[in-house]
Amino acid sequence: MTSRFKAVIFDLDGVITDTAHYHYLAWKRLADSVDAPFDAAFNEQLKGVDRMGSLDLILARAPRTYTLEEKRALADAKNTHYQQLIATMTPDDLLPGALRALEEVRAAGLHIGLASVSRNAFTVLDRLGIRDRFDDVVDAATIVNGKPDPEIFLTAAAHLGVDPKDCLGVEDAAAGVASIKDAGMFAVGVGSPEVLHRADRVIPSMDAFRLQDY
């Protein structure tokens, strides 16, 4: 199978695996500790936002303000709890269709990149047993600006040696789709067309991903 693209760059959370529930549990415990209201609906606002950005959104609802040092301690506590949760992950936690998509892209001879704002991306990939499937991984430690800034996808394209216009990006969050589009790439959104309205194509799940469709 041939493709008009030279590389496919995937997001991690919500595309390759679903760590959203683990993030929810970790953020919920933190929010409870600072008396900030937190529920599943508010948690949706954190999708695609980096750790400190998510923390700022939560603390904006807390009854008092926090110093930078206190924020760092809270972020570290959240991450420690999250790491404990993801330590239980296995290859069974790959989302349906994710592994087939990776295999399809590889079979087509395209480069495969990962663009994740998670600082635990490598740990998750190792737990899933798919770290070697990616030619390059760009995580939060590699970049200055998180999504929706295009930096993370531009960095991934540069590492892969591919022009952004020759890249296809796959994301499940509006901020991620914005990052892909502003990087000058073709965007495939996974989820709701109403939420991912900037995507060039929207599919309901990775089970529906077919490289030949793009």
Side-chain angles (χ1 to χ4, degrees):
M1 182 181 65
T2 60
S3 172
R4 65 189 177 100
F5 299 104
K6 295 180 181 178
V8 179
I9 303 171
F10 295 90
D11 177 37
L12 179 60
D13 296 341
V15 174
I16 301 299
T17 189
D18 186 6
T19 59
H21 183 60
Y22 300 128
H23 279 296
Y24 172 78
L25 292 175
W27 282 129
K28 179 71 167 65
R29 187 164 85 168
L30 182 144
D32 289 347
S33 73
V34 297
D35 295 322
F38 191 89
D39 56 20
F42 181 77
N43 186 61
E44 286 297 305
Q45 298 182 37
L46 309 185
K47 286 185 69 173
V49 181
D50 65 18
R51 190 186 308 162
M52 294 307 293
S54 295
L55 179 63
D56 284 339
L57 289 173
I58 292 170
L59 293 183
R61 313 179 91 199
R64 74 171 181 89
T65 58
Y66 288 79
T67 65
L68 180 57
E69 184 176 344
E70 287 175 320
K71 287 181 179 181
R72 287 173 176 159
L74 287 170
D76 288 344
K78 182 269 177 180
N79 190 49
T80 297
H81 186 206
Y82 175 70
Q83 288 177 328
Q84 292 168 346
L85 294 171
I86 63 173
T88 65
M89 296 181 75
T90 72
D92 290 338
D93 289 303
L94 281 161
L95 285 173
L99 184 58
R100 183 200 51 74
L102 293 173
E103 292 172 342
E104 184 178 296
V105 173
R106 180 63 73 206
L110 278 61
H111 295 292
I112 303 177
L114 188 84
S116 172
V117 295
S118 172
R119 292 184 179 274
N120 298 288
F122 286 102
T123 299
V124 173
L125 292 178
D126 286 338
R127 295 299 306 174
L128 296 173
I130 58 168
R131 184 167 175 174
D132 61 347
R133 303 271 181 167
F134 295 89
D135 299 309
D136 187 71
V137 175
V138 180
D139 65 359
T142 316
I143 58 171
V144 175
N145 304 299
K147 303 168 187 177
D149 190 279
E151 181 186 357
I152 192 166
F153 281 95
L154 290 173
T155 301
H159 286 184
L160 294 171
V162 178
D163 192 296
K165 66 179 175 57
D166 295 322
C167 295
L168 181 154
V170 186
E171 266 280 0
D172 74 313
V177 168
S179 179
I180 294 170
K181 292 301 298 177
D182 290 346
M185 301 178 182
F186 186 94
V188 174
V190 183
S192 165
E194 289 75 23
V195 175
L196 307 174
H197 56 87
R198 284 196 66 189
D200 297 291
R201 192 77 59 86
V202 178
I203 56 178
S205 69
M206 285 303 290
D207 255 341
F209 181 91
R210 298 292 184 275
L211 185 61
Q212 64 190 23
D213 293 341
Y214 320 117

